[in-house]
């Protein structure tokens, strides 16, 4: 056992004296030490219940013969951080979470780990740590929020952001907005649509790192407490069998995750996080694989913001395993992959019934024959950009219009709410990438403003930043190379015509190569927006979005 390095032998007597100071008994020190990584805090709605989940995990570990020991991980609420300088501090926490978890696990020589995340960067950050550490590990999340209900209809956080745009357009009263404000987010949990947090928790099941229901059982259900106890018990089995994250997170497992991603219509942020997790696992995946998988994977779910169903509905319909079983009817999954259940993917999903074909479309009757995410390339994004195809209205799958260019999110929002953006425009927001932001802010405010102003079916938005999973419409992000390094998006001028063809995976600026070369020759990099602290250090180390925005190793 790794923990023998801190619990056994004469040289470890000083270590044991410190465990004694913790009130730990000899009996506890003779059992495997199981680290429980708790992302509990009192600022993120998706994390306020995690203390209960952690208590259940501890009980499960103890019942199965381990000694549970809790230590923390940070987490940012992307919704609260949205639309101001705080959003620069969202993506960057992914690496802080991975690094700090590595430090705690190695310093204290835990034998195995139970990760208890929930929201956007917490899940991929801990998956990155799991792959890096490669000790037996299982995930159990805090669970999704129940949908809100306004005027008899289910709703969620994305509707709340769009209500602000509707108010600016004069189509919603102050009283209407206040009703949404009071009812859109009615419980604890990760926000109730297929946004980034729920996308990544569902993909944790698809990767094989979480038990069935990890992505979908609502936070307020007692069933989630039972799931946490089972996760605590299961980690002891994984330790006994020495099943480790890199045994589970193989290239085939990432293939499965991308396939499920396409079927569910997950957040485009998954196209940042899956490559970053794979990188830590020693697996090379590139975004071209995404289009190859999308071409043969039907989109089976239209959860909010793409449609009017929510995580609670997916749970009742059979959850992620039911989606996977539908996909397996077409032989789209690698079923021999081992998982944290100790069984293979094929064994896990066998007999998992689709209980509601309105929530999970049968594979014979999908929303579309192709997946929910598309990767585009062209002279505007030579290294790729990403769009959530399943959340784009049909008339915007192909679009051509004049560029309206902004060098920061705030200027774009002011123009949208000021009525300066009209049907047909292509809003370009640049210098918001991993380096240029720094931190690659999400653009939920401008996309919601466009939708709220009634322009969602006529205006596209392109950025080297990224989008919340709550964004909908022709919202094209992760443009690479980014503006801060002189990518073509930095060379776009007001009024240039931009052509978008999502079905054909293309995005082009209709400007001659000669003109682009002349503009490039005149381009000068901008002064960094942040010159001190963690963000400055992050900007100096971060790679491009098409590489998962991982940090360079020196």
């Amino acid at each position: 056992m790794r923990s023998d390095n801190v619990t056994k032998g004469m040289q470890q007597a000083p270590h044991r004296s410190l465990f004694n100071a913790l009130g730990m008994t000899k009996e506890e020190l003779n059992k495997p030490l199981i680290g429980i990584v708790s992302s509990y805090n009192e600022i993120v709605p998706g994390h306020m219940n995690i203390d209960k989940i952690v208590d259940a995990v501890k009980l499960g570990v103890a019942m199965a013969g381990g000694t549970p020991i809790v230590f923390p991980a940070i987490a940012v609420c992307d919704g609260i951080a949205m639309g101001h300088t705080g959003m620069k501090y969202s993506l960057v926490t992914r690496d802080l979470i991975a690094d700090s978890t590595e430090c705690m696990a190695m310093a204290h020589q835990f034998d195995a780990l139970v990760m208890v995340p929930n929201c956007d960067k917490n899940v991929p950050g801990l998956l990155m740590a799991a792959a890096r550490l490669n000790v037996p590990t299982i995930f159990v999340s805090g669970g999704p929020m129940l949908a809100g209900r306004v005027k008899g209809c289910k709703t969620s956080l994305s509707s709340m952001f769009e209500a602000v745009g509707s108010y600016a357009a004069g189509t919603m009263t102050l009283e209407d907005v206040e009703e949404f404000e009071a009812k859109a987010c009615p419980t604890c949990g990760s926000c109730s649509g297929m946004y980034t947090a729920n996308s990544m928790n569902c993909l944790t099941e698809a990767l094989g790192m979480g038990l069935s229901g990890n992505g979908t059982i609502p936070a307020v259900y007692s069933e989630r407490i039972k799931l946490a106890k089972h996760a605590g018990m299961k980690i002891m089995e994984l330790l006994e069998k020495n099943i480790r994250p890199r045994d589970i997170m193989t290239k085939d497992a990432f293939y499965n995750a991308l396939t499920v991603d396409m079927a569910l219509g997950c957040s485009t942020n998954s196209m940042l996080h899956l490559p970053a997790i794979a990188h830590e696992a020693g697996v090379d995946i590139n975004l071209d694989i995404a289009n190859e998988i999308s071409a043969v994977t039907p989109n089976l779910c239209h959860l909010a913001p793409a449609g009017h169903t929510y995580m609670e509905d997916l749970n009742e319909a059979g959850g992620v395993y039911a989606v996977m079983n539908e996909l397996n009817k077409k032989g789209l999954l690698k079923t021999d992959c081992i998982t944290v259940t100790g069984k293979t993917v094929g064994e896990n999903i066998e007999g998992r019934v689709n209980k509601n074909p309105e929530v999970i479309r049968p594979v014979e009757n999908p929303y579309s024959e192709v997946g929910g995410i598309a990767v585009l390339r062209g002279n505007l994004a030579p290294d790729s950009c990403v769009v959530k195809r399943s959340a784009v209205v049909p008339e915007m799958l192909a679009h051509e219009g004049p560029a309206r260019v902004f060098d920061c999110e705030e200027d774009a929002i002011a123009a949208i709410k000021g009525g300066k953006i009209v049907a047909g425009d292509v809003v370009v927001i640049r210098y918001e990438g991993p380096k240029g932001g720094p931190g690659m802010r999400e653009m939920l405010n401008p996309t919601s403003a466009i939708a709220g102003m009634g322009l969602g079916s006529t205006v596209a938005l392109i950025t080297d930043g990224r989008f919340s999973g709550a964004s909908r419409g022709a919202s094209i992000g992760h443009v690479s190379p980014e503006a801060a390094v002189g990518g073509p998006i930095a060379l776009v001028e007001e009024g240039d015509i931009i052509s978008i063809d999502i079905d054909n995976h293309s995005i082009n600026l209709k400007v001659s190569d000669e003109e682009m070369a002349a503009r490039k020759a005149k381009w000068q990099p901008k002064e960094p927006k942040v010159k001190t602290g963690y963000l400055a250090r992050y900007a100096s180390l971060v790679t491009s979005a098409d590489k998962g925005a991982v940090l360079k190793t020196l």
Side-chain angles (χ1 to χ4, degrees):
M1 288 290 176
R2 284 160 51 96
S3 61
D4 288 354
N5 292 324
V6 294
T7 61
K8 302 291 193 297
M10 180 54 64
Q11 291 299 317
Q12 282 65 43
H15 304 71
R16 289 193 297 274
S17 73
L18 293 168
F19 282 109
N20 182 67
L22 290 167
M24 296 185 73
T25 65
K26 290 181 179 179
E27 290 83 359
E28 287 174 295
L29 294 183
N30 283 329
K31 297 176 181 179
L33 302 187
I34 309 301
I36 302 174
V37 187
S38 170
S39 59
Y40 168 78
N41 64 45
E42 294 183 342
I43 187 62
V44 184
H47 291 233
M48 62 183 284
N49 66 315
I50 281 178
D51 56 339
K52 308 295 187 299
I53 305 299
V54 167
D55 286 345
V57 171
K58 289 173 67 177
L59 185 56
V61 168
M63 286 192 293
T67 297
I69 303 174
V70 179
F71 65 89
I74 64 169
V76 164
C77 178
D78 278 21
I80 294 174
M82 194 72 65
H84 55 88
T85 193
M87 182 44 68
K88 296 178 186 291
Y89 287 88
S90 170
L91 178 61
V92 304
T93 64
R94 188 183 70 179
D95 297 275
L96 281 175
I97 291 161
D99 292 349
S100 60
T101 301
E102 175 193 359
C103 292
M104 289 293 289
M106 293 300 294
H108 302 103
Q109 293 292 286
F110 291 108
D111 296 305
L113 297 167
V114 183
M115 307 293 200
V116 190
N118 209 23
C119 289
D120 295 24
K121 309 311 164 299
N122 204 242
V123 185
L126 290 179
L127 283 165
M128 289 165 67
R132 189 186 300 173
L133 290 160
N134 202 35
V135 299
T137 303
I138 193 169
F139 278 67
V140 56
S141 77
M145 185 183 291
L146 293 179
R149 283 167 173 77
V150 177
K151 301 186 190 308
C153 297
K154 287 184 179 181
T155 191
S156 62
L157 182 66
S158 54
S159 298
M160 182 70 250
F161 275 89
E162 290 177 14
V164 176
S166 297
Y167 178 76
T171 58
M172 187 174 282
T173 66
L174 177 60
E175 289 75 18
D176 290 332
V177 174
E178 288 175 342
E179 184 176 7
F180 269 94
E181 187 178 326
K183 298 179 179 178
C185 299
T187 70
C188 62
S190 48
C191 297
S192 56
M194 188 53 78
Y195 310 146
T196 304
N198 293 326
S199 293
M200 293 310 302
N201 281 321
C202 287
L203 295 182
T204 300
E205 286 190 53
L207 274 172
M209 290 297 293
L211 300 176
S212 177
N214 181 63
T216 60
I217 297 171
V220 295
Y221 283 13
S222 298
E223 188 180 356
R224 182 153 291 275
I225 299 294
K226 292 192 283 185
L227 180 74
K229 292 176 184 175
H230 284 131
M233 290 185 273
K234 184 62 69 173
I235 193 59
M236 300 307 297
E237 179 185 328
L238 293 172
L239 178 61
E240 180 184 356
K241 294 179 177 178
N242 197 29
I243 297 175
R244 301 174 180 234
R246 291 193 187 186
D247 301 324
I248 295 169
M249 290 193 282
T250 62
K251 189 162 189 174
D252 281 350
F254 283 100
Y255 180 97
N256 285 343
L258 284 164
T259 300
V260 174
D261 190 325
M262 297 300 169
L264 287 173
C266 289
S267 163
T268 52
N269 280 311
S270 64
M271 295 296 104
L272 276 177
H273 299 322
L274 288 176
I277 299 160
H279 174 76
E280 295 287 355
V283 174
D284 182 30
I285 62 172
N286 62 62
L287 293 187
D288 291 326
I289 295 174
N291 279 343
E292 294 170 16
I293 293 173
S294 180
V296 297
T297 305
N299 177 225
L300 304 182
C301 298
H302 266 192
L303 286 92
H308 299 289
T309 52
Y310 297 83
M311 295 306 298
E312 63 201 66
D313 302 312
L314 179 59
N315 187 62
E316 295 302 319
V320 174
Y321 279 11
V323 174
M324 294 175 74
N325 201 30
E326 286 288 346
L327 293 171
N328 201 41
K329 293 176 183 177
K330 292 187 71 174
L332 295 174
L333 296 176
K334 311 291 187 181
T335 56
D336 292 335
C337 296
I338 194 69
T339 72
V340 291
T341 66
K343 299 178 181 178
T344 65
V345 167
E347 291 173 313
N348 287 342
I349 67 176
E350 184 177 4
R352 298 303 290 261
V353 177
N354 178 0
K355 300 176 183 177
N356 189 340
E358 297 301 314
V359 176
I360 305 171
R361 288 278 186 94
V363 74
E364 303 84 7
N365 181 36
Y367 282 102
S368 69
E369 294 291 345
V370 294
I373 289 178
V375 176
L376 316 183
R377 292 181 189 268
N379 70 351
L380 187 55
D383 293 340
S384 77
C385 56
V386 179
V387 63
K388 187 170 181 175
R389 185 209 317 254
S390 59
V392 180
V393 294
E395 55 267 36
M396 287 299 288
L397 290 171
H399 179 76
E400 191 171 289
R404 305 299 308 282
V405 184
F406 305 93
D407 285 352
C408 68
E409 177 188 6
E410 288 82 358
D411 291 350
I413 293 170
I416 295 164
K417 291 186 176 179
K420 296 178 181 178
I421 303 302
V422 300
D425 283 348
V426 179
V427 176
V428 177
I429 306 177
R430 61 192 181 188
Y431 295 98
E432 291 284 8
K435 283 185 179 294
M440 203 178 181
R441 288 194 288 180
E442 287 183 345
M443 303 290 168
L444 180 55
N445 274 348
T447 59
S448 298
I450 287 170
M453 297 285 285
L455 298 170
S457 61
T458 58
V459 168
L461 196 156
I462 299 170
T463 182
D464 54 5
R466 60 196 176 93
F467 293 106
S468 165
S471 292
R472 61 186 176 99
S475 304
I476 300 167
H478 308 194
V479 171
S480 302
E482 63 174 288
V485 298
I489 192 172
L491 310 178
V492 180
E493 295 182 358
E494 188 80 8
D496 285 347
I497 300 300
I498 294 175
S499 176
I500 302 162
D501 190 337
I502 294 172
D503 285 338
N504 289 306
H505 307 118
S506 72
I507 181 165
N508 287 289
L509 186 65
K510 301 188 85 172
V511 172
S512 70
D513 292 345
E514 294 77 12
E515 173 62 18
M516 290 294 282
R519 294 182 187 180
K520 178 68 173 177
K522 293 187 292 185
W523 178 81
Q524 294 291 323
K526 288 184 177 290
E527 278 285 309
K529 294 177 183 174
V530 179
K531 298 180 181 179
T532 61
Y534 178 59
L535 286 182
R537 188 162 69 252
Y538 179 88
S540 72
L541 295 174
V542 71
T543 60
S544 179
D546 66 295
K547 302 293 192 296
V550 298
L551 300 185
K552 291 181 289 187
T553 53
L554 300 177

